[in-house]
């Protein structure tokens, strides 16, 4: 894998994803995206009519990234891109593309997805996309070959391994951060989760419901990690939790939100909604880990 080939893969993704978003066509998007990225996007397509107008407008904007920097580890199975997403406003973003090892489509089938460079490009999918919510992004370490230095998800850096980050971060939702999340450095990302936990029952209605967040198993468990120039690790990991909204008084029911109603509009005494996502975390060699981004999407509600 070279930077030129990686650029072609990114260009191909931009073209196909722009068309898929405008048509809200999950089957088309599946030609260039997979895993959690595809799951979150498909949920957005399903919920489109229930979304606020400002959120619906995002589907019409072209998918475009500028100033990409490619971080390609040895092995050729995946690579990371740091780039600036151009709309709705410039946003530093981290992307991960991985080779689809099960892709046996002939080149003609790849062409239906708009692939102008053959099956070599069509075999790749976007598996992670995370805006940088709190920076700066650490510099990636390079081997003597010039390739990015890969790290394993069980590689310890400081008190944590990439494998530990999902459970550690989900503690913010489960307890407000009184448990495992003490290992995380406070920043805007962790404060957003803590604030949601603190105010979880503030806006509930006369049914006197109570809200709980419980960690759950993600549908897609892929993790990716690179070593940083400072001796730490930069990792993309999966996230998942359930939001359980339950009434505490007999005779009351909860009316699901517009987005939840896409999956089940029936008023009921307990609404269980599933959120799947991904996090970008920097695990320095010394000190506490920092979650640089954490993004979820509602993917089910029963």
């Amino acid at each position: 894998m070279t930077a030129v080939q990686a650029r072609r893969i990114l260009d191909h993704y931009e073209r196909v994803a722009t068309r898929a978003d405008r048509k809200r066509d999950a089957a088309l998007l599946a030609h260039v995206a997979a895993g959690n990225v595809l799951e979150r996007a498909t949920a957005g397509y399903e919920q489109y009519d229930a979304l606020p107008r400002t959120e619906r407008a995002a589907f019409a904007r072209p998918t475009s990234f500028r100033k990409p920097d490619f971080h390609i580890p040895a092995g050729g199975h995946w690579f990371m891109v740091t780039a600036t997403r151009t709309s709705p406003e410039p946003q530093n973003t981290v992307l991960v593309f991985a080779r689809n090892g099960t892709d046996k489509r002939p080149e003609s089938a790849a062409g239906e997805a708009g692939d102008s460079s053959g099956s070599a490009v069509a075999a790749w999918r976007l598996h992670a996309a995370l805006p940088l919510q709190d920076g700066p992004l650490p510099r990636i370490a390079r081997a003597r070959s010039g390739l990015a230095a890969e790290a394993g998800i069980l590689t310890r850096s400081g008190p944590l391994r990439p494998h530990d980050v999902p459970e550690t971060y989900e503690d913010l939702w489960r307890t407000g951060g009184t448990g495992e999340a003490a290992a995380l450095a406070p920043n805007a990302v962790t404060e957003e989760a803590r604030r949601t936990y603190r105010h979880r029952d503030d806006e509930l209605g006369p049914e006197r419901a109570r809200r709980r967040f419980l960690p759950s198993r993600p549908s897609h468990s892929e993790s990716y990690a690179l070593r940083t120039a400072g001796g730490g690790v930069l990792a993309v990991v999966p996230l998942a939790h359930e939001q359980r909204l339950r009434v505490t008084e007999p005779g009351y029911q909860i009316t699901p939100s517009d987005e939840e109603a896409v999956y089940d509009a029936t008023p009921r005494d307990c609404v269980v909604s599933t959120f799947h996502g991904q996090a970008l975390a920097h695990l320095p060699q010394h000190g506490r880990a920092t979650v640089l981004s954490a993004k979820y999407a509602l993917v089910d509600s029963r």
Side-chain angles (χ1 to χ4, degrees):
M1 172 61 63
T2 67
V4 171
Q5 292 169 324
R7 174 78 243 198
R8 288 177 184 152
I9 291 166
L10 177 61
D11 290 345
H12 177 54
Y13 169 78
E14 290 176 332
R15 290 193 301 271
V16 177
T18 295
R19 290 167 49 208
D21 283 350
R22 287 174 176 167
K23 297 178 179 179
R24 300 188 298 281
D25 186 340
L28 178 59
L29 187 64
H31 286 284
V32 293
N36 181 260
V37 168
L38 181 60
E39 181 183 32
R40 280 189 284 158
T42 300
Y45 296 165
E46 292 171 342
Q47 298 163 29
Y48 178 84
D49 291 333
L51 296 174
R53 181 177 298 179
T54 54
E55 293 185 32
R56 294 201 304 266
F59 290 87
R61 299 188 185 105
T63 300
S64 179
F65 298 92
R66 61 181 176 84
K67 297 182 179 179
D69 190 10
F70 299 98
H71 310 284
I72 304 169
H77 301 300
W78 70 277
F79 63 89
M80 182 180 290
V81 186
T82 53
T84 301
R85 183 159 190 157
T86 58
S87 65
E89 58 186 24
Q91 174 69 67
N92 292 333
T93 304
V94 172
L95 311 169
V96 173
F97 287 87
R99 184 187 294 275
N100 181 10
T102 62
D103 191 347
K104 306 298 183 182
R105 293 176 304 153
E107 210 163 313
S108 59
E112 293 176 5
D115 177 21
S116 60
S117 53
S119 57
V121 168
W124 291 81
R125 304 286 187 276
L126 180 70
H127 280 250
L130 288 162
L132 185 61
Q133 296 172 282
D134 189 271
L137 192 72
R139 189 161 57 90
I140 303 301
R142 301 281 178 181
R144 289 185 178 180
S145 62
L147 295 174
E150 187 173 5
I153 64 169
L154 297 179
T155 300
R156 186 171 297 279
S157 182
L160 296 178
R161 307 165 297 173
H163 177 75
D164 302 323
V165 173
E167 181 178 354
T168 303
Y169 183 76
E170 291 294 350
D171 177 64
L172 294 166
W173 295 88
R174 184 173 60 87
T175 72
T178 60
E180 296 95 326
L184 300 176
N187 65 355
V189 181
T190 58
E191 177 53 29
E192 181 180 357
R194 282 193 173 95
R195 186 168 54 250
T196 302
Y197 177 84
R198 287 196 304 268
H199 299 286
R200 62 196 181 279
D201 296 333
D202 286 3
E203 299 180 1
L204 302 180
E207 66 272 9
R208 298 185 65 183
R210 290 294 179 266
R211 192 189 314 269
R212 295 178 63 205
F213 298 99
L214 298 174
S216 61
R217 184 182 297 275
S219 298
H220 306 281
S221 58
E222 299 91 343
S223 297
Y224 305 92
L226 295 174
R227 295 188 179 276
T228 67
V233 172
L234 181 68
V236 174
V237 297
L239 297 175
H241 64 243
E242 288 183 347
Q243 172 188 272
R244 296 191 177 187
L245 192 58
R246 184 185 297 275
V247 298
T248 60
E249 296 291 332
Y252 284 101
Q253 289 186 317
I254 300 167
T255 300
S257 69
D258 291 344
E259 291 90 342
E260 290 167 338
V262 170
Y263 304 98
D264 187 350
T266 308
R268 49 201 187 271
D269 60 7
C270 181
V271 176
V272 179
S273 297
T274 302
F275 293 82
H276 288 171
Q278 292 175 308
L280 173 70
H282 175 215
L283 284 60
Q285 199 169 26
H286 304 286
R288 290 191 284 181
T290 301
V291 178
L292 304 174
S293 182
K295 300 296 290 183
Y296 294 89
L298 170 70
V299 298
D300 192 23
S301 184
R302 303 297 173 189

